[in-house]
Amino acid sequence: MVVCDLEAGVGPVVRSDQADVVLAVAEPTVKSIEVARRAVEIAAGRARVIVIANRVRGEEDVEAVRAVLGDHEVVVVPEEPGIAGADRDGAAPLDAAPESAGVRALVALAERLGERARRGPAAHETRSERRS
Amino acid sequence: MKIAVAGKGGVGKTTVSGTVARALARTGHDVLALDADANPMLGVSLGVGPEETERLLAVRQAIDAGEIEHQRSTEELIEGCGTDAPDGVRLVVVSRIDQADPG
């Protein structure tokens, strides 16, 4: 399995046409939601898209992301001192804040993706068919 | 399966990438984590520490500046521009996504 942390912005998504899954990360800000929306628009035809609503502080924030990107699966990562602290200390969130809701949401996502990869491309293709 | 993590600068792509990569490795998959960011910090989120992350950046900059020959094969790239991260993840710092094809 390959996990690629792309350069910021939409351009890198255009070039990563080999990705099976695109995780589009957005904070509850208009600008970052717009960048995620453009990235999703490019990726949606060729990869499974999952939106990560990061640093959300409440239902309103989740709704702001869903209002634009709600056609796709949205994984919610709440704003938490544990994850911010890991960043500050130069540590992995998985080590510094393993019990935080955000890390647990990402671990659960990874477990789903790992399971999907194990089932093979046929299952992935079936599941990645667009609903619309 | 190839997973790309996208978004505006500063939204937490690196945190997501590092956490997902290690959690995937814990499920028993071989995981290659590619850092294609202009400011490569994935090592920190994977838990290899700031110093090793800096070292990888220096290697990549030397390659970009032509001081070190470009790795000819994927294997050489993974070896020369990479390091081992916790849970068995292999981290590689790449200059451009189009050099990152693992085949």
Side-chain angles (χ1 to χ4, degrees):
Chain A
M1 309 257 305
V2 177
V3 178
C4 187
D5 190 13
L6 296 178
E7 260 186 285
V10 178
V13 182
V14 177
R15 295 196 294 273
S16 42
D17 57 350
Q18 293 181 35
D20 306 297
V21 177
V22 170
L23 304 182
V25 186
E27 289 181 319
T29 64
V30 170
K31 285 181 189 169
S32 83
I33 291 171
E34 176 56 19
V35 171
R37 187 191 66 75
R38 289 186 213 158
V40 164
E41 204 171 73
I42 292 162
R46 62 192 190 204
R48 182 182 178 86
V49 169
I50 298 171
V51 174
I52 314 287
N54 197 29
R55 298 191 188 123
V56 304
R57 293 178 183 182
E59 201 49 43
E60 248 177 55
D61 285 351
V62 179
E63 280 314 308
V65 175
R66 277 196 210 279
V68 177
L69 297 161
D71 283 351
H72 301 273
E73 178 182 347
V74 177
V75 171
V76 174
V77 177
E79 166 97 342
E80 280 165 309
I83 297 178
D87 273 352
R88 194 187 52 229
D89 300 339
L94 195 60
D95 297 323
E99 295 306 319
S100 66
V103 168
R104 279 192 279 127
L106 292 173
V107 168
L109 169 64
E111 286 170 354
R112 288 203 302 279
L113 292 172
E115 186 56 36
R116 199 172 292 157
R118 207 163 266 123
R119 281 199 307 266
H124 164 250
E125 278 163 23
T126 308
R127 291 177 65 93
S128 67
E129 278 172 10
R130 301 291 312 279
R131 278 167 292 172
S132 53
Chain B
M1 182 187 278
K2 296 169 193 167
I3 301 165
V5 183
K8 186 177 172 293
V11 294
K13 284 188 300 295
T14 304
T15 299
V16 170
S17 303
T19 305
V20 167
R22 278 189 52 192
L24 268 174
R26 286 181 178 182
T27 70
H29 287 283
D30 284 334
V31 177
L32 181 61
L34 298 180
D35 194 345
D37 202 282
N39 180 28
M41 287 292 158
L42 181 54
V44 174
S45 287
L46 282 169
V48 306
E51 278 179 27
E52 181 65 2
T53 303
E54 273 300 308
R55 186 189 70 80
L56 285 177
L57 171 60
V59 170
R60 193 184 84 173
Q61 284 172 337
I63 291 171
D64 288 348
E67 291 159 19
I68 303 176
E69 208 177 325
H70 271 274
Q71 268 70 18
R72 289 196 191 86
S73 68
T74 304
E75 289 72 23
E76 283 176 338
L77 177 72
I78 291 172
E79 181 60 33
C81 298
T83 195
D84 289 323
D87 296 318
V89 173
R90 181 72 184 174
L91 166 65
V92 176
V93 176
V94 293
S95 295
R96 283 279 302 263
I97 182 65
D98 50 20
Q99 292 176 351
D101 178 13

